[in-house]
Amino acid sequence: MHERSSDADLAQSLREELNRYSPGEKLPSSRALVERFRVSPVTVSRAIARLAAEGLVITRPGSGAFRAVPRTGLPPTGDTSWQEVSLSGDGGAGAVPRTVDASGVLVTLCPPPPGVVELNGGYLHSSLRPESALAAALARAGRRPGAWGRPPADGLAELRAWFAREIGPSLTAADVLISAGGQSALATALRALAPPGAPVLVESPTYPGMLAVARATGLRPVPVPVDADGVRPELLAAAFRATGARVFVCQPLFQNPTGAVLAPRRRGEVVRIARAAGAFVIEDDFARRLAHDDAGRLPAPLAANDPDGVVVHVRSLTKIASPSLRVGALAARGPVLGRLRDIQVVDSFFVPRPLQEAALELVGSPAWGRHLRSVSAQLRERRDTMTAALRRELPALAPPHVPAGGGSLWLRLPEADTGTGTEESAVVAAALRAGVAVAPGRPYFCAEPPSPQLRLSFAAVAGAAEITEGVRRLRTACDEVLGDSPQLRSAGARPAAGPQEAARTG
């Protein structure tokens, strides 16, 4: 074994040799393993820790590592059937069901099997993340005075001030709470603004994670359709009148999954409609730092021009940095900020201080600006690669709208005689058999979808070659399910709109 061997390699070698030792017998010393495998003491220590975590060995300080004694017999199998009754009990007439469906979220969180191209991921590929800068930031953060102490419940003042500047000049640190990522912030906002059983207006289609957290909170999502210019104000006003809702959740910039940007003429109108209804707007500004380098000037957040406190703003560092940097912010004005703070404190006390300190170190480093510029350019290149591959391989699936931000494309499948949804699930399954994972459109709707859709991520893969291969495999899946239908092979599909149409300026 060479010097460059990893702890995982060493752990596997030791795992294969464990049968040579009797249960309870001592393994060779760390020094002996270092000499035998020609690795460092740190590698040995990490390999033994892996085996201990798997329950294969036990370690005794000062004595060494020993093969674990297998447990005798299996624990008795219990009867958990009673839980079905308890979990489904509604507590009486009018109570809100407590069933939680996380399937739409898990599609983008769970990695596909080895060899499968991941066109359904929800985060940047590791090659796009600032991993060296993150490691350096975390190391510096750990050395900050008080880094492992208790942070303020609202979050570190310096980090709150940074988020306030990012949102707009009219906000201050006093308007911001630090949250454990965007998903946690959405959950806090929904719990703060609507009681269980209440309706909440949502864009249609919209982010499945928001629909899941709304339902888990006991709310009833009500769809409001979007078009290429974002949510339609006349339908939003009608939905407020029909439902009496007091909350509208939206993504005005590079909406997930459509990539739409709320048009300038609609921005003020959306806030006015909500204000007239006595309602809040939850603005999920998840994709601002995922703008492509041809996006042009971006509109300011809705919260930046909202003196009346209609908008509760949500943003996070997670999407642009790392899935594990779960640091985000909630911004609000007025009494609602106190309620948001109280709910967050009761739920989680505070965001771990080392993560907050690491976030400050990251965004304050020269590497941060370089990372943002690199991601902006690479996302544009990947978007163009996927769009070109679709036009070449599957012209009928070429997106009607090419976004100037975000990491995915939203496609409409040709409808077959089997009915909406059937071919969608069949294509997703066939795609997996062909070696590519894609996200079905159904979870993005809280009511019946108007047509079968797919969401393809170009941000979660290694690069252009993998994107091209993923689209080729998707063509194989479409051939299997939809055959040689004229719709699928139509070369006269509507041309995709340019990204400039997505980058509306305020």
Side-chain angles (χ1 to χ4, degrees), residues 135-158:
L138 192 58
R140 293 193 301 269
R143 296 192 295 267
R144 283 189 170 205
W148 295 93
R150 181 180 61 200
D154 290 1
L156 298 180
E158 190 180 351

Side-chain angles (χ1 to χ4, degrees), residues 44-134:
V44 170
S45 176
R46 289 176 176 171
I48 294 296
R50 281 175 175 262
L51 299 182
E54 296 171 13
L56 298 177
V57 303
I58 57 173
T59 56
R60 297 172 186 158
S63 298
F66 301 78
R67 182 182 174 186
V69 178
R71 294 182 179 180
T72 56
L74 297 174
T77 302
D79 179 8
T80 60
S81 57
W82 65 272
Q83 293 185 7
E84 295 184 42
V85 178
S86 178
L87 291 173
S88 62
D90 60 10
V96 180
R98 294 180 290 169
T99 301
V100 180
D101 181 7
S103 58
V105 181
L106 291 173
V107 164
T108 61
L109 290 181
C110 297
V116 173
V117 178
E118 186 177 6
L119 296 188
N120 63 339
Y123 295 104
L124 296 180
H125 187 266
S126 58
S127 62
L128 296 178
R129 300 175 202 152
E131 295 194 346
S132 296
L134 280 165

Side-chain angles (χ1 to χ4, degrees), residues 10 93 118 213 245 247 304-306 350 429 459 468:
L10 178 56
E118 186 177 6
V213 78
V247 180
N305 303 294
D306 172 42
F350 47 76
T468 302

